[in-house]
Amino acid sequence: MRAFPLVGVGAGMSAALVLGGRLPSAPVDPPPAALIGAPAVRVAEPLDRSAVTAVAFTGGGGLVVGTSTGRVEFRAAGVAATPQAVLQVAHSPVMALAASGDGATVAAATAGGVQLLDTARPALGRFVEFPADGVYGVTTALALDRHARLLAVGTDDVSVFEVSSGRRVALLSQPSPAKGGERHVYTSMAFSADGGALHTGDIFGDDAWRTGDWRLRSTMWCVCFHPARYSPAARWASVGTSDAHVLVRNPATGTTTRDLTIDVAPRSYTGDTAISDGGLLFAGSSDGRVLAWRPDRDLPAGQVKVTTGEIGLLRLSPDARWLVAGRAGDVVPGTGLDPYTLWLLPVRP
């Protein structure tokens, strides 16, 4: 199996721009400068016309896309059309993707384990096989620490592997009182910048586990509409709610620092969210918009109408220069995975 360059994908579509959105109750002051560029550009579908099932960014802002046919496509920063290379990593769907903090490695979850990929070439690296004593269905979240020494795999519990040996070093699970004591389905994870903590989240909150002894350090409960999304070094977490709010949390202290409203229209709700280590906040809406906030403003610093329907996926590049937004389609048969149509947006910090 090898990487190979590919050409011949057509240019994308664009979406309309709406800038300077402000709430009716907002104080009268100059509108903040637009944080999201325009127009949003449609990311070309995979070369084999399969479904997009997973998305991540590399450290340099390159877009990585996993497909229902087991492929991983690599695009350069800001490129929505032609992939630079494609790797066939499995003959089953890519269920989740994650990049290491240094951007040198991408992890791709498949049915039998996690394939690590070298982003510089790109090329196949080590394969971490799931243990025979575990039941691994759909992998819902992945995380790599800064130098890809530790790998966390989320289902209804979290398995932590030592990458060099492939050995599982921890099996983490935290019952949720909001679900009558049932276990979580973990849908987002991130290691802290210093590697001292692993943060794991679902729609009922956020758990912080201390690496080394893997003891639960803290828990934040929240019955939210979407799972917590962590900044690259887990300095912040953002959460979307069913009543059109976006919460910003500090995972280290377990406190909510901001509570923002995306809209005042009835029946609106928040889609997925994304946040940078510097506090730049982004949220999708149920009507296809992407909104942006600066850390010192409660008014949105611009909004872009990307599509119709809910923005169910948002991913921000580690350098906070690119944002990818996704609208989910019907579940890929036999997989339980949502296929996504993607748009790429530039960010102007």
Side-chain angles (χ1 to χ4, degrees):
M1 294 183 286
R2 62 187 182 91
F4 53 96
L6 295 159
V7 297
V9 179
M13 298 162 56
S14 64
L17 171 68
V18 183
L19 288 177
R22 79 174 47 236
L23 304 177
S25 59
V28 177
D29 62 358
L35 185 56
I36 313 176
V41 178
R42 173 83 171 267
V43 177
E45 66 182 350
L47 291 175
D48 63 356
R49 303 295 189 260
S50 57
V52 173
T53 52
V55 181
F57 278 103
T58 63
L63 181 63
V64 185
V65 172
T67 77
S68 59
T69 52
R71 288 183 164 195
V72 175
E73 295 187 349
F74 291 81
R75 289 175 171 83
V79 174
T82 308
Q84 288 181 310
V86 175
L87 291 173
Q88 185 77 47
V89 302
H91 296 290
S92 58
V94 175
M95 295 182 283
L97 289 168
S100 59
D102 61 9
T105 306
V106 166
T110 66
V114 177
Q115 177 67 62
L116 300 184
L117 309 171
D118 180 346
T119 62
R121 290 180 276 180
L124 298 176
R126 182 180 294 275
F127 183 79
V128 177
E129 188 174 3
F130 292 148
D133 62 346
V135 178
Y136 293 85
V138 175
T139 298
T140 50
L142 283 178
L144 285 167
D145 68 356
R146 180 168 180 77
H147 298 296
R149 296 190 179 102
L150 292 175
L151 166 70
V153 180
T155 54
D156 59 356
D157 53 28
V158 176
S159 294
V160 183
F161 296 90
E162 182 183 66
V163 171
S164 61
S165 66
R167 181 174 61 93
R168 187 173 64 191
V169 296
L171 182 62
L172 312 174
S173 180
Q174 168 74 339
S176 166
K179 296 170 65 179
E182 296 179 11
R183 290 193 296 175
H184 296 238
V185 174
Y186 292 95
T187 48
S188 59
M189 296 189 296
F191 284 92
S192 61
D194 62 4
L198 171 65
H199 296 274
T200 60
D202 73 349
I203 63 172
F204 294 101
D206 167 273
D207 300 322
W209 307 86
R210 189 166 57 198
T211 58
D213 60 13
W214 300 107
R215 292 187 178 183
L216 185 65
R217 192 173 73 179
S218 64
T219 295
M220 295 186 291
W221 296 114
C222 168
V223 180
C224 297
F225 198 70
H226 280 274
R229 297 298 185 193
Y230 302 101
S231 65
R235 292 190 176 95
W236 302 105
S238 56
V239 184
T241 73
S242 59
D243 58 355
H245 283 251
V246 185
L247 308 178
V248 177
R249 293 173 161 185
N250 184 334
T253 63
T255 57
T256 297
T257 61
R258 304 181 75 189
D259 184 346
L260 303 170
T261 304
I262 68 162
D263 213 342
V264 294
R267 296 180 298 278
S268 292
Y269 58 87
T270 311
D272 203 7
T273 63
I275 191 167
S276 73
D277 284 325
L280 299 178
L281 175 65
F282 303 86
S285 74
S286 54
D287 60 1
R289 289 173 297 145
V290 175
L291 297 91
W293 290 264
R294 297 184 185 279
D296 58 345
R297 295 269 191 156
D298 289 340
L299 288 178
Q303 54 180 299
V304 174
K305 179 72 173 178
V306 174
T307 182
T308 58
E310 179 188 347
I311 300 295
L313 179 147
L314 275 183
R315 298 289 186 271
L316 181 66
S317 63
D319 59 5
R321 294 183 59 191
W322 298 98
L323 187 73
V324 66
R327 182 190 65 206
D330 295 332
V331 173
V332 178
T335 69
L337 300 171
D338 292 326
Y340 287 98
T341 302
L342 303 177
W343 288 265
L344 190 65
L345 300 93
V347 177
R348 298 166 177 167

